[in-house]
Amino acid sequence: MRKTVYETNYDRLVKLGIVTEGQIRPNGRSQSGGYMDLVLERLPHLDNVYSKGSLAVSIAHYFEQNGDLCSDPEMVLLLHPEIKSVEAFSFNQSLPPYYQEVFPEPGKVCLAYKKDQNNFLRTWLTNLINQRHGKTWADSMEAA
């Protein structure tokens, strides 16, 4: 049986070490020589907001410009460990400024953003795996 983009992306989060046995790893930073660090942050204030049992995380690359950290990109994801699925919630980048939210308000969904963001996530996660992210993680205290 062919997997959906949501199931495939969940499998890639497992491969990156972001999800292990249905649990999300602690906040941290994946380091892979020669590439931008991947930053993971739990967002518990978004848990269960749009679907029961969902757990929210942010994954991002950051660069510094004029003393500010800029996302390139940052995505908020809603994980559904019980069904081994993940879906995009939002996409953000600093330069040029750009923000899209799949679920703009409770009960509403932008289907075009949902499709585009989940397809982008599939490509980005594949790139992260190919860059050997997920092999070395520093927790949030070590990463500071």
Side-chain angles (χ1 to χ4, degrees):
M1 187 163 144
R2 189 171 177 178
K3 290 189 175 188
T4 67
V5 67
Y6 312 105
E7 294 165 327
T8 300
N9 286 344
Y10 186 91
D11 290 346
R12 290 176 181 160
L13 291 177
V14 169
K15 193 164 191 169
L16 287 165
I18 291 172
V19 177
T20 305
E21 297 178 17
Q23 301 295 312
I24 300 169
R25 68 162 287 104
N27 292 349
R29 179 182 308 268
S30 170
Q31 300 169 324
S32 183
Y35 299 102
M36 294 172 75
D37 290 355
L38 176 67
V39 177
L40 170 71
E41 182 179 6
R42 273 285 282 123
L43 303 173
H45 64 283
L46 289 176
D47 289 356
N48 300 306
V49 171
Y50 291 92
S51 57
K52 187 175 181 189
S54 67
L55 304 173
V57 299
S58 163
I59 60 172
H61 289 308
Y62 292 100
F63 66 92
E64 189 173 330
Q65 182 170 321
N66 300 322
D68 292 326
L69 287 178
C70 300
S71 59
D72 184 36
E74 177 206 18
M75 289 190 78
V76 173
L77 310 176
L78 302 177
L79 285 78
H80 307 277
E82 70 286 350
I83 59 171
K84 298 183 178 178
S85 176
V86 62
E87 61 185 320
F89 174 81
S90 65
F91 178 93
N92 181 44
Q93 71 180 30
S94 298
L95 297 172
Y98 186 77
Y99 180 77
Q100 283 183 337
E101 197 167 289
V102 172
F103 304 98
E105 58 186 82
K108 302 240 178 187
V109 60
C110 179
L111 295 176
Y113 291 171
K114 183 174 182 166
K115 180 180 178 187
D116 290 347
Q117 286 186 32
N118 285 294
N119 287 331
F120 174 84
L121 180 61
R122 177 176 44 202
T123 300
W124 188 24
L125 293 174
T126 297
N127 290 343
L128 293 169
I129 291 165
N130 290 340
Q131 292 170 357
R132 305 192 48 78
H133 272 289
K135 306 290 183 201
T136 303
W137 284 93
D139 72 24
S140 59
M141 296 306 290
E142 295 170 19

